Amino acid sequence: DDETMEARRQNVRLPPEVNRVLYVRNLPFKITAEEMYDIFGKYGTIFQIRVGDKPDTRGTAFIVYDDIYDAKNAVDHLSGFNVCGRYLIVLYYQQGRMEKKLDIKQKREELEALKAKYNISKSDTEE
């Protein structure tokens, strides 16, 4: 019954980290988008899936659900789910945390570029 489901949803207060975008880790490298749709589509309508295909993003994916409650349901049911002997890590995508990681990586790259520019080797910077 859609009406009771909708009424139940109105009463549920979702934790602040819950959102429609999921970040999945520990996926088999060979998994396809179709297989991802098969696994994650059981929990609701999916807007988009992006499977990592670069050396540093392999084994990860972003999944965007149309509905936040479907995303929550997927996290609740698929965290620890076994796919080809690997246990999935299913998290809510947190913009701030991802940006922080990129920021640190960017700062490190800038530092390395400066060291190269001024010809500073690692031994020069160690006490």
Side-chain angles (χ1 to χ4, degrees):
D1 184 9
D2 284 347
E3 282 178 33
T4 53
M5 186 73 172
E6 200 53 45
R8 202 174 303 135
R9 284 183 171 190
Q10 301 307 321
N11 295 330
V12 176
R13 298 259 339 214
L14 293 174
E17 73 274 7
V18 175
N19 68 69
R20 296 183 318 126
V21 186
L22 304 183
Y23 176 58
V24 184
R25 293 182 13 218
N26 209 33
L27 287 162
F29 288 169
K30 299 217 183 323
I31 199 160
T32 64
E34 290 75 37
E35 290 167 320
M36 294 290 291
Y37 276 102
D38 287 345
I39 296 166
F40 286 85
K42 291 184 173 81
Y43 298 96
T45 308
I46 292 172
F47 175 72
Q48 185 180 35
I49 290 182
R50 303 281 302 269
V51 178
D53 56 0
K54 306 218 171 21
D56 58 335
T57 61
R58 284 182 2 183
T60 68
F62 288 102
I63 298 161
V64 184
Y65 279 91
D66 282 339
D67 186 294
I68 193 167
Y69 291 92
D70 295 340
K72 182 180 185 312
N73 205 6
V75 169
D76 293 346
H77 288 91
L78 291 175
S79 288
F81 185 74
N82 188 330
V83 177
C84 302
R86 301 178 74 95
Y87 294 95
L88 301 187
I89 299 167
V90 185
L91 307 164
Y92 296 107
Y93 172 65
Q94 290 174 312
Q95 185 79 32
R97 284 174 78 181
M98 298 295 175
E99 282 174 358
K100 202 177 281 178
K101 273 188 190 164
L102 287 175
D103 202 36
I104 289 168
K105 186 178 174 195
Q106 190 178 357
K107 281 195 171 67
R108 192 174 293 136
E109 286 169 359
E110 286 168 8
L111 183 64
E112 291 305 317
L114 283 171
K115 281 183 181 177
K117 181 178 175 184
Y118 294 105
N119 205 7
I120 300 170
S121 70
K122 189 174 172 98
S123 60
D124 293 335
T125 59
E126 291 173 343
E127 297 298 308

